């Protein structure tokens, strides 16, 4: 019995999805990808661009909160862009993901009021710079861990805070080595059209 | 041959571009010059023997002409325009080509590379402007890129699901001399898969479902035309005995008089195919994308049916309508595989249902529309007269509005690629330039542009293009003194509050005369046949301005927000 791929059997709940978009390195491509979301009024919660395991192939990691139906559709639209190889979408359970954050706090406050060692231990943070006037902590992890430390440091006169976008590894993916090889296998031998003008250059190339 | 053995020559970017276009077998370019594309035009000056350049009167006209050329001929249309305003004038046409999957390549000039980003004279960021409305776009700032990028442009525009490509070439690259090794066409881009792989197991599944069906129904769209699969479609329909209906871009993929051709789908389509969409047990969609003008309200669309969707573009599958079986691929390849596997049948009982409903539409709508005996002329009788007097062999290019729906409903078309219209974007002003392009694309055919009095005034300047190049285009303006389609909605849904839809027009015959185009007014039924005959016999372009009923409505209609089977035959039912 053949079933209709009913939209109801998809998960209609909105949830976080991480998209991994493998592309050529092409100027302007990021705008084309971003426009796929903006024209549907979907906000990009996080967008990261980086090299991939293959030279000259780039990888965008994008986080959105949407239903699976919408995401699936979107993925096919993005894959349609000429310079995009392939797009994967995954739930948080299917990926290992991390973000990084930096926090700048007045050193005096930290020294006086907080136990630096406790912070480092409890939040898995690292002090990257310690100066007389300020200290910069760094932490790596998921939203919650980063936010917890943010709340904590807020108490000590946080001066500056920045968080990177998400990067993610897909648990059961073999990367795209095979995929790219497969696609390149289809490469036909280029035919070169003999150019009759080249031998009669005065006829056409008289500049 | 290894690359090093290939002879080379010093040449300019502009000449390399023209060489690429010639090698792509393009014979016609539609364009308009300006500062940033002057080096290309200078090179073109010496190549009029190989490349016919049609100087349009507005860049929007160039794109629509290229679209008409592409849709009539199946070849890729080519457009030249300058930077800044030249490039932005292309935008509507490019958007139209994108949504209607028309293969065109637009070459636009750009300011010198060193001026990019300085707000230089006539600099616009045309790449970002056109990013969402092109299949691909690219900026060239070095002449060495030209051969490869132009080859890619043509390959991308015409392969898979076709679409518009825009290449922006900075002036320095056009002028730059480089070592040219000749032209190598592109057949492969590693990140681009024009056609999905055809999976026989899904064709098998589709055949199973179809063979068990009692009330199967085929609906087809432009995918059949783009895949040149008209014959394959007809074979499928004839073997399976399945009735078929079309979207307006799919029209003429199956001759209109074919006994299993049951007409037009959608908002102003035929009664039977709309009603029976919600009674069939298997709906087989071929090369169409379930546009909202075709489906009406989605949650009332073919809920009872098993849906089989054939399309070359995987992103169309399950986009609007969830399928039971989807068959990815080019209709040219997939349809014969399906035909082979299905049983030969006749669906006499099922067809009777169509006949029954057709009769209802015929009596209430078609008969009074096509064969009125008194009162003012109707659009329908004009269109039917045009198609009768051209033996159903003309290309109808319509503009947008009521007359467009009437052309799609009533023109008889025996030959593929006979129905050229702006479907997805509904661009008023498409008709005249597209008809000019169609004539260049299919010079052996009679081309009739049918326009409204509103749309005729958008891009009317292209009469100048006709004046200069004399393509034999027959122009028919159905003048109802209104922006009729909008007026119809105002009548039906806004209590006849005709807010800015009464439009004044010039005497179109006089305007044509100014452009050296002969014409006639038709105000009475008794004048119609004779005038059409005069027009068709005239050796050059000819314009008919035909006065039709002012406040006529196109029916049937699937009112917005209703399901297809809630289609109404008269205003009273709304
Ligand atoms: C460029 C553009 N502007 C506005 C519209 C909206 N529109 C759709 S049909 C129509 C009326 C067309 O009037 P006319 O050309 O006289 O044709 P008729 O409907 O009277 O046959 C309008 C304004 C459009 N489709 N395209
Ligand atoms: Mg009108």
């Amino acid at each position: 019995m053949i079933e209709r791929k009913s939209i109801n059997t998809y998960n209609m709940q909105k949830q976080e999805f991480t998209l991994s978009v493998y592309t050529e390195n092409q100027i302007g491509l990021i705008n084309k990808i971003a426009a796929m979301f903006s024209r549907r009024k979907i906000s990009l919660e996080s967008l990261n661009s980086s090299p991939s395991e293959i030279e000259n192939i780039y990888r965008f990691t994008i986080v959105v909160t949407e239903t699976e139906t919408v995401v699936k559709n979107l993925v096919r639209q993005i894959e349609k862009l000429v310079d995009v190889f392939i797009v994967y979408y995954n739930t948080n359970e299917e990926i290992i993901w991390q973000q990084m954050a930096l926090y700048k706090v007045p050193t005096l406050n930290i020294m006086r009021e907080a136990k630096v060692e406790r912070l480092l231990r409890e939040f898995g943070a690292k002090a990257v710079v310690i100066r007389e006037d300020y200290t910069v902590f760094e932490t790596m992890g998921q939203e919650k861990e980063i936010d917890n430390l943010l709340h904590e440091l807020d108490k000590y006169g946080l001066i500056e805070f920045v968080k990177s976008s998400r990067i993610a590894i897909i648990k059961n993916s073999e990367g795209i080595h095979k995929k790219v090889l497969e696609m390149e296998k289809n490469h036909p031998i280029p035919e070169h059209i003999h150019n009759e003008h080249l031998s009669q250059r005065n006829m056409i190339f008289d500049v | 041959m290894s690359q090093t053995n290939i002879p080379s020559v010093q040449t300019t970017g502009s000449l390399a571009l023209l060489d690429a276009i010639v090698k792509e077998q393009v014979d016609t370019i539609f364009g308009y010059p300006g500062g940033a594309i002057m080096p290309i035009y200078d090179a073109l000056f010496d190549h009029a023997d190989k490349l016919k350049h049609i100087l349009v009167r507005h860049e929007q006209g160039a794109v629509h002409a290229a679209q008409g050329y592409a849709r009539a001929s199946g070849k890729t249309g080519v457009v030249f325009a300058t930077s800044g305003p030249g490039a932005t004038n292309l935008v509507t046409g490019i958007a139209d080509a994108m949504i209607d999957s028309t293969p065109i390549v637009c070459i636009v000039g750009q300011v010198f590379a060193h001026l990019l980003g300085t707000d230089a004279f006539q600099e616009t960021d045309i790449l970002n402007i056109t990013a969402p409305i092109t299949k691909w776009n690219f900026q060239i700032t070095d002449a060495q890129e030209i051969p490869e990028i132009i080859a890619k442009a043509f390959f991308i525009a015409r392969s898979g699901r076709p679409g518009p490509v825009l290449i922006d070439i900075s002036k320095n690259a056009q002028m730059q001399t480089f070592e040219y090794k000749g032209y190598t066409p592109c057949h492969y881009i590693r990140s681009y898969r024009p056609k999905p792989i055809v999976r026989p197991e899904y064709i098998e599944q589709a055949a199973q479902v179809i063979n068990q069906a009692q009330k199967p129904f085929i609906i087809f769209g432009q995918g059949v035309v783009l895949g040149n699969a008209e014959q394959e479609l007809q074979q499928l329909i004839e073997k399976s005995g399945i009735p078929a209906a079309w979207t307006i871009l799919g029209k003429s993929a199956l001759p209109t008089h074919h006994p299993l051709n049951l007409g037009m789908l959608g908002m102003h389509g035929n009664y039977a195919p709309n009603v029976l969409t919600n009674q069939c047990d298997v709906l087989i969609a071929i090369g169409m994308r379930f546009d909202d003008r075709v489906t009406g309200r989605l949650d009332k669309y073919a809920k009872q049916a098993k849906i089989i969707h054939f399309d070359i573009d995987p992103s169309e599958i399950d986009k609007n309508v969830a399928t039971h079986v989807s068959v990815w691929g080019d209709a040219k390849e997939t349809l014969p595989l399906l035909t082979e596997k299905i049983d030969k049948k006749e669906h006499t009982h099922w067809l009777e249902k169509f006949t029954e409903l057709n009769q209802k539409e015929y009596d209430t709508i078609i008969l009074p529309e096509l064969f009125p005996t008194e009162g003012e002329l109707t659009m329908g009788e004009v269109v039917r007269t045009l198609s009768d007097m051209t033996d159903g062999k003309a290309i109808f290019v319509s503009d947008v509005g009521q007359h467009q729906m009437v052309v799609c409903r009533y023109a008889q078309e025996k030959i593929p690629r006979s129905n050229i219209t702006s479907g997805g974007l509904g661009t008023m002003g498409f008709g005249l330039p597209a008809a000019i392009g169609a004539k260049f694309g299919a010079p052996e055919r009679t081309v009739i542009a049918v326009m409204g009095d509103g749309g005729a005034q958008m891009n009317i300047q292209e009469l100048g293009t006709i004046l200069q190049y004399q393509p034999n285009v027959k122009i028919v303006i159905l003048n109802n003194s209104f922006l009729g389609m909008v007026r119809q909605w105002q009548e039906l849904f806004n209590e006849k509050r005709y807010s800015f839809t009464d439009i004044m027009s010039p005497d179109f015959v006089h305007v044509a005369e100014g452009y050296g185009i002969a014409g006639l007014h038709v105000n009475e039924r008794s004048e119609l046949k004779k005038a059409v005959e005069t027009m068709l016999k005239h050796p050059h372009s000819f314009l008919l301005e035909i006065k039709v009923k002012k406040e006529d409505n196109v029916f049937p209609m699937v009112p917005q927000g209703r399901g297809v089977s809630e289609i109404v035959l008269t205003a009273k039912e709304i």
Side-chain angles (χ1 to χ4, degrees):
Chain A
M1 179 66 199
I2 294 163
E3 295 277 317
R4 189 185 195 124
K5 285 175 259 164
S6 163
I7 283 174
N8 297 328
T9 62
Y10 292 165
N11 192 341
M12 286 301 282
Q13 290 289 318
K14 282 194 182 187
Q15 58 170 317
E16 238 175 49
F17 284 98
T18 301
L19 278 60
S20 306
V21 184
Y22 287 90
T23 74
E24 292 288 6
N25 178 19
Q26 188 77 254
I27 291 176
L29 186 55
I30 188 167
N31 299 4
K32 293 181 190 177
I33 293 172
M36 290 284 166
F37 296 84
S38 57
R39 78 175 275 203
R40 294 173 175 79
K41 228 174 158 164
I42 296 172
S43 85
L44 294 179
E45 281 154 35
S46 163
L47 166 68
N48 182 77
S49 125
S50 86
S52 75
E53 58 271 25
I54 299 177
E55 208 182 324
N56 290 327
I57 292 184
Y58 276 68
R59 176 173 183 165
F60 292 90
T61 307
I62 298 169
V63 184
V64 293
T65 301
E66 262 306 334
T67 63
E68 181 165 3
T69 314
V70 168
V71 170
K72 200 170 168 179
N73 234 308
L74 200 59
V75 162
R76 287 201 182 147
Q77 297 291 345
I78 299 172
E79 274 186 343
K80 214 157 88 173
L81 292 172
V82 168
D83 297 305
V84 171
F85 283 90
I86 191 162
V87 186
Y88 298 107
Y89 70 94
N90 296 98
T91 60
N92 287 345
E93 291 72 49
E94 295 165 344
I95 54 171
I96 313 285
W97 57 276
Q98 294 271 284
Q99 280 167 290
M100 183 182 163
L102 296 174
Y103 312 73
K104 185 160 96 183
V105 207
T107 303
L108 208 63
N109 294 4
I110 287 288
M111 291 302 175
R112 203 168 46 211
E113 297 170 37
K115 291 258 171 15
V116 179
E117 305 91 88
R118 181 180 70 85
L119 284 181
L120 299 185
R121 228 180 316 110
E122 253 179 49
F123 295 92
K126 221 163 67 181
V128 273
V129 173
I130 305 176
R131 293 179 17 157
E132 213 169 287
D133 47 348
Y134 64 79
T135 297
V136 175
F137 293 107
E138 165 207 295
T139 185
M140 202 104 76
Q142 306 193 339
E143 244 117 24
K144 222 191 195 142
E145 296 152 0
I146 289 169
D147 288 353
N148 285 346
L149 182 55
L150 177 66
H151 291 315
E152 184 68 22
L153 293 178
D154 222 9
K155 298 177 198 157
Y156 304 109
L158 182 69
I159 304 167
E160 237 186 272
F161 167 72
V162 63
K163 180 164 82 175
S164 76
S165 42
R166 173 184 293 192
I167 54 173
I169 290 280
I170 304 164
K171 286 179 188 166
N172 56 12
S173 147
E174 302 171 345
I176 61 157
H177 273 289
K178 253 201 206 150
K179 197 112 215 156
V180 171
L181 281 178
E182 205 181 286
M183 288 176 101
E184 289 186 340
K185 206 170 62 196
N186 300 326
H187 199 331
I189 298 156
E191 64 181 284
H192 186 82
I193 294 194
H194 176 68
N195 188 320
E196 82 270 20
H197 310 322
L198 295 177
S199 48
Q200 303 168 19
R201 85 169 270 192
N202 294 340
M203 230 186 82
I204 186 159
F205 296 125
D206 53 359
V207 276
Chain B
M1 208 184 338
S2 84
Q3 286 296 112
T4 46
N5 292 338
I6 296 173
S8 67
V9 66
Q10 291 287 314
T11 191
T12 63
S14 296
L15 281 167
L17 169 75
L18 297 187
D19 192 42
I21 291 172
V22 171
K23 290 292 183 302
E24 288 290 345
Q25 325 270 322
V26 171
D27 51 23
T28 311
I29 296 166
F30 302 92
Y32 209 94
I37 198 169
M38 280 185 63
I40 291 174
Y41 270 86
D42 188 57
L44 195 57
F45 192 60
D46 295 326
H47 298 292
D49 55 328
K50 286 211 178 68
L51 284 167
K52 182 163 37 182
H53 176 277
I54 306 301
L55 177 70
V56 293
R57 294 299 181 268
H58 185 295
E59 288 87 352
Q60 185 187 349
V63 193
H64 293 328
Q67 290 180 273
Y69 172 88
R71 290 196 27 201
S73 69
K75 295 194 266 185
T76 302
V78 177
V79 173
F80 283 0
T82 192
S83 67
T88 54
N89 273 349
L90 300 178
V91 167
T92 303
I94 294 175
D96 194 288
M98 182 69 174
I99 201 161
D100 280 351
S101 309
T102 312
I104 56 168
V105 172
C106 300
I107 307 289
V108 297
Q110 182 55 283
V111 301
F112 285 90
H114 72 271
L115 293 175
L116 285 170
T118 64
D119 302 323
F121 179 63
Q122 296 193 328
E123 181 195 358
T124 52
D125 183 0
I126 198 63
L127 282 200
N128 271 312
I129 291 173
T130 58
I133 50 167
T134 47
K135 188 171 171 189
W136 191 62
N137 67 11
F138 194 86
Q139 183 175 62
I140 294 174
T141 51
D142 181 337
Q144 311 218 34
E145 298 173 299
I146 286 177
E148 193 193 326
I149 295 300
I150 300 301
K152 273 179 84 170
F154 277 96
F155 174 54
I156 291 167
R158 69 165 174 255
S159 58
R161 178 177 180 174
V165 170
L166 178 134
I167 306 296
D168 190 33
I169 311 181
S170 65
K171 197 168 179 180
N172 58 293
Q174 299 169 33
M175 294 158 60
Q176 179 190 343
T177 301
F178 73 112
E179 197 178 319
Y180 179 51
K181 295 202 171 84
Y183 189 66
T184 308
C186 174
H187 299 293
Y188 165 83
I189 294 166
R190 67 173 185 170
S191 60
Y192 169 59
R193 215 186 281 254
K195 292 180 190 181
I197 293 158
V198 176
R199 302 261 299 269
E201 61 269 35
Y202 291 111
I203 292 180
E204 182 66 51
Q205 274 187 20
Q208 261 176 36
V209 175
I210 294 170
N211 285 337
Q212 284 164 16
Q214 299 302 311
K215 297 187 286 180
F217 184 29
I218 289 176
I219 57 179
F220 61 90
Q222 198 192 197
V224 176
V225 181
L226 293 169
N228 296 312
E230 291 93 347
Q231 272 187 12
E232 288 78 0
L233 174 74
Q234 193 163 338
Q235 282 157 5
L236 167 69
I237 288 170
E238 283 169 3
K239 182 172 177 195
S240 65
I242 301 177
W246 35 267
T247 71
I248 61 172
L249 294 197
K251 187 182 182 188
S252 82
L254 184 69
T256 23
H257 62 270
H258 192 283
L260 289 171
N261 187 338
L262 295 177
M264 173 170 154
L265 295 162
M267 187 173 269
H268 292 293
N270 290 111
Y271 189 64
N274 274 308
V275 170
L276 295 178
T277 296
N278 280 359
Q279 290 182 29
C280 64
D281 58 355
V282 175
L283 187 66
I284 306 141
I286 303 169
M288 56 85 72
R289 60 188 175 85
F290 293 107
D291 175 74
D292 56 276
R293 281 294 189 269
V294 163
T295 63
R297 216 170 113 169
L298 271 178
D299 59 2
K300 293 185 174 176
Y301 185 77
K303 286 296 173 194
Q304 79 296 342
K306 289 207 165 98
I307 312 269
I308 303 176
H309 193 179
F310 286 73
D311 209 284
I312 197 169
D313 178 357
S315 73
E316 289 301 344
I317 307 284
D318 297 328
K319 186 182 82 175
N320 295 336
V321 173
T323 55
H324 292 76
V325 183
S326 46
V327 182
W328 297 6
D330 188 339
K332 185 101 187 160
E333 296 165 41
T334 54
L335 294 186
L337 295 175
L338 178 69
T339 305
E340 202 185 293
K341 292 201 160 59
I342 50 163
D343 303 335
K344 190 162 171 54
K345 265 193 195 162
E346 275 169 37
H347 295 279
T348 327
H349 248 30
W350 174 225
L351 275 166
E352 277 165 13
K353 286 218 168 199
F354 283 89
T355 317
E356 220 171 89
L357 295 174
N358 274 340
Q359 192 60 45
K360 213 169 149 187
E361 180 181 355
Y362 191 82
D363 294 342
T364 32
I365 294 170
I366 300 176
L367 193 67
E369 177 74 32
L370 293 188
F371 309 106
T373 47
E374 48 174 40
E376 289 168 288
L377 279 161
T378 68
M379 289 187 179
E381 66 181 316
V382 175
V383 167
R384 188 50 73 85
T385 304
L386 290 168
S387 89
D388 284 350
M389 293 183 72
T390 48
D391 193 24
K393 289 180 180 158
I395 295 180
F396 277 87
V397 184
S398 45
D399 207 72
V400 172
Q402 291 184 314
H403 64 281
Q404 173 190 34
M405 294 299 108
V406 171
V407 167
C408 293
R409 286 177 54 80
Y410 298 113
Q412 304 273 15
E413 294 169 0
K414 293 182 179 166
I415 307 174
R417 296 186 179 275
S418 291
N419 200 56
I420 298 177
T421 195
S422 167
L425 207 65
T427 307
M428 283 173 69
F430 175 86
L432 181 59
I436 293 170
K439 187 66 192 176
F440 283 108
E444 71 289 355
R445 297 190 62 188
T446 300
V447 175
I448 307 177
V450 180
M451 298 183 281
D453 45 323
Q457 292 178 78
M458 282 196 189
N459 290 332
I460 196 168
Q461 76 285 345
E462 297 309 327
L463 291 173
T465 308
I466 295 180
L467 166 70
Q468 189 160 356
Y469 300 97
Q470 295 289 316
N472 186 352
V473 175
K474 308 304 182 191
I475 303 161
V476 176
I477 296 173
L478 297 178
N479 190 345
N480 55 7
S481 310
F482 268 113
L483 298 174
M485 185 55 93
V486 181
R487 187 210 54 76
Q488 173 169 348
W489 282 53
Q490 289 171 335
E491 177 186 334
L492 299 177
F493 310 112
N494 295 352
E495 297 88 34
K496 282 204 180 189
R497 288 152 54 82
Y498 291 164
S499 182
F500 303 100
T501 44
D502 57 330
I503 185 169
M504 275 175 72
S505 297
D507 181 326
F508 288 109
V509 174
H510 263 75
V511 172
E513 195 188 344
Y515 283 100
I517 298 167
L520 277 176
H521 289 285
V522 177
N523 297 320
E524 303 290 336
R525 180 160 295 112
S526 57
E527 304 164 348
L528 179 64
K529 282 216 167 84
K530 185 121 189 294
V532 171
E533 199 183 327
T534 309
M535 173 177 85
L536 293 172
K537 280 203 175 134
H538 192 74
H540 304 289
S541 286
F542 197 93
L543 183 144
L544 286 184
E545 179 180 350
I546 303 181
K547 205 170 132 202
V548 294
K549 221 186 225 173
K550 273 182 89 165
E551 294 184 47
D552 213 359
N553 290 331
V554 188
F555 276 104
M557 181 174 193
V558 180
Q560 196 154 42
R562 306 263 192 95
V564 278
S565 53
E566 296 170 301
I567 184 168
V568 300
L569 288 168
T570 60
K572 279 181 241 115
E573 297 168 62
I574 287 179

